[in-house]
Structures are given as C-alpha cells and as structure tokens.
Amino acid sequence: MPAASPSSANADTRPRVEFWYEFASTYSYLSAMRIEDAAREAGVEVVWRPFLLGPVFLALGWNDSPFNIYPPKGRYMWRDLARLAGKYGLPFRLPSRFPRSGLLAARVALVGVEEGWVAPFSRAVMRANFAEDRDIADPVVIGELLAALGLPVDTMLARAQAPENKLALRAQTERAAELGLFGAPSFRVGEELFWGNDRLADALEWAVMGGTSPAGDE
Amino acid sequence: MPAASPSSANADTRPRVEFWYEFASTYSYLSAMRIEDAAREAGVEVVWRPFLLGPVFLALGWNDSPFNIYPPKGRYMWRDLARLAGKYGLPFRLPSRFPRSGLLAARVALVGVEEGWVAPFSRAVMRANFAEDRDIADPVVIGELLAALGLPVDTMLARAQAPENKLALRAQTERAAELGLFGAPSFRVGEELFWGNDRLADALEWAVMGGTSPAGDE
C-alpha cells in the first residue's frame, strides 16, 4: 500500500470509492441504501456520483431500460430485487411505473454533493421510488423529501434547475460514458471499475487493499 | 423445511441445485470450477444442465455475445473476469477467440450427465477454453480431454453426435428458454431462478433453506 501523503488537517485520508448511481435504477437502490454503512465498516470514504443512465443506454442502442426491452431479464430482475431486498432487510414495493425519470432528483443530488447532504437525500429518493411507489419525477415529491431533511425547498429546487447545475449533470453523465460505465450502480476505485450491486464488497476491499491513493489525485 | 419424503436406498436426499451453463460463457467458467466444492460444503447436490446460449440470445435479438455487441460491457467483462479468477485462485488466459462454439462440448457433456463424468469433463473443457486458449470446437481437442479422463474417445464422440443426443441438447436448450433463462450461468432451485456467477452462494443457501423438495418432483 502507498504511504499516506501529507495532507491538510481537514482532508479525508481514508481510501475512496466513487459510487455512480441513477435514481431510476433498481440495483442502484440496493447499493444506495447499503453503501455508507458498508463503507464505514471498511474505513472507506464514499464519493457520491449521481448521473443519468438514459444517454449511456442510448449510446448502446437502447431507448428504454434493458429490463423493459428484454422481458425475461425484466421478469427475473423484479424477482431478484425482491429477494435481495429481503436478504438486506430493505423495504421494497413494485413501482407502478418503471423506469421513472431520475433527472430532477439527480440535479438536486448534485447540489447535495456540494452541500454535504447527498447521502440522506439519495436514500430518501430511492425509498420513495422503490419502497413507497412515489413519483420521483414530480417536484412536489422531491420538495417533500427536501423539507423532511430540513432543507429550504424553493432554494434547492432553484439551484438544481439553474443552467450551470444542469450543465454539471450533463458533464457528469458524459464523464460516466468516458470512464467506460455502461450501467448502474458502478463503483470506481482509482482506475478500477466495478459494476453492479454485487460488486460493492469487492470495490470496498479493493479500496482498502490500496487500489486508490489516500491523498486523492483527481 | 419440508420433511424428507421416503426414498429408495440409492436416492440422493440432499437438496438440489440445477446448474445451467454454456461452455462459451466466461462467467460459466468461474461457476463450473467452483460449484462442486461450494455445493459439497453446503450439503447440496449439483444437477449439471449444459445448454446453448446462442438460440436463447437469438430470441432476444442478439446474433453474437452481448459482450461483443456492446463493447463497453465486453471490455469490463474481461477485466472483471481476470480479477475474479485471481480472487478465486483460478487460472485465466484471454482466449484468442470469443465466443467459441460450445456445441460439441455440450453434446458430449450430455452423455457425461448420463454416465456420471459431466463434472470433471466440464471443468476440463472450461479450463481448455479460458485458461489454455484451446479450441473447444475442435473434436481433436475434445477427444484429448476425454482421453485424459480415461474415457473411450470414439465411442463418446459417436454417442454425442447421435441424432437422439443432438435432439436432447436441442430440447434442453428449449427448456432453458421456457424456464425464463436469458444468460449463463443460471441456477435453479425448485422454481426459483438465480442468474450469474455472483448468485451461486445465494442459490446454494436457498436450496439449504428448503426452497427445493429433497425427494425431487420433476
């Protein structure tokens, strides 16, 4: 393992995992609910990276979720999701619509990354979508989730919809494709990519074993 | 758990997992090499079910491996495979051709199911394809693997290519699609389907927890 570089008093010197997720993604739900606890236990810092799968899928030739395009995969996925939610002790209710647009939620989440509340906000959105069957594309729903976190709703929605924040989400989504991401959730440790909720533990282990520089090099 | 039904002296009363695999499939390689040890440890019987992914993929609109059709998925898969092989302590060499036809190997494997040598034969074929970069579509290669197991090569190849055995493989592949399989490896415990090498442990646990009738009901 590389020795920790000198760092300022405030710098987090733990190894890092980037968590790339999409609010419409079922397996992202499972990881979003688990990652902070699992990372804390492993001594790893989580960098939340909300992005949009839609443009990534379009580049692969899919204009819808592959779970809708390929019915046997979709049928299996819903059963698998229910089974895994049971295994993890997470609530799950079959959403009446899939996929829901995660665009607004992702824009708000980017503001949350800057302000430090991305993790609880993301969990609240995921729970709304996959455990409470609420429409996360509705600004009223997102507003209620923000309010429940004690955040100023109008201010946050305005910041989320500001042109520079829209561009930031577009840039993050383009970056995802550049990094070779093709699905969500994905985990990145240094240059190493891990795809799928199944790989969360492997990604954390890779981070702990020194796959990433504690000082960060972005 | 259901009580064990009365059974004959020779019947295996352990819970069962069906292992559906394809010789051209990279993740099937990882499972084929691990499943007997993992199942023995869990007290589960493995029912080997070789089948062909080609017709299953064609029904989904793919005339090639999705790892070839979607390059980012393919790039990731090869890296993931090398990483997982390292984790499991399995040999791995990037095959110079992918996918290779698993047709002949699957036909021979069906004979092995009847005769009780399907497991070591399947591991030998997988090793040839993914650790030794040998052409498993070549009858000479398959013959060498049979000979190394002490089996009569010409007899086995003739039985594998007999019309009734060809039909049996076709029927098994059609059955896979009927059961909702869309990829390999897949594991089946009773009516419950698990897809992917990642799910081997979950499938075994499901079997142990009583998801399957020990007496069998096929």
Side-chain angles (χ1 to χ4, degrees), chain A residues 20-23 49-53 56 106 169 172-173 176 181 183-184:
Chain A
W20 292 79
Y21 64 106
E22 143 81 76
F23 286 105
R49 297 264 199 252
F51 76 112
L52 298 180
L53 267 182
V56 174
L169 179 60
Q172 179 123 304
T173 297
L181 271 73

Side-chain angles (χ1 to χ4, degrees), chain A residues 79-80 192 198-199 202, chain B residues 79-80 87 192 198-199:
Chain A
R79 174 62 190 146
D80 192 45
E192 204 73 17
D198 307 302
R199 291 292 186 284
D202 284 348
Chain B
R79 173 63 189 145
D80 192 46
K87 174 174 154 179
E192 205 72 17
D198 307 301
R199 291 292 186 285

Side-chain angles (χ1 to χ4, degrees), chain B residues 104 106-109 111 155-166:
Chain B
L104 175 62
R107 285 174 175 166
V108 175
V111 179
T155 310
M156 292 307 162
L157 288 179
R159 282 190 55 186
Q161 303 282 31
E164 62 271 23
N165 193 61
K166 290 182 176 180

Side-chain angles (χ1 to χ4, degrees), chain A residues 91-109:
Chain A
F92 168 68
R93 192 195 299 175
L94 193 70
S96 52
R97 191 173 160 198
F98 177 81
R100 290 194 169 104
S101 168
L103 175 61
L104 175 63
R107 286 174 175 166
V108 175

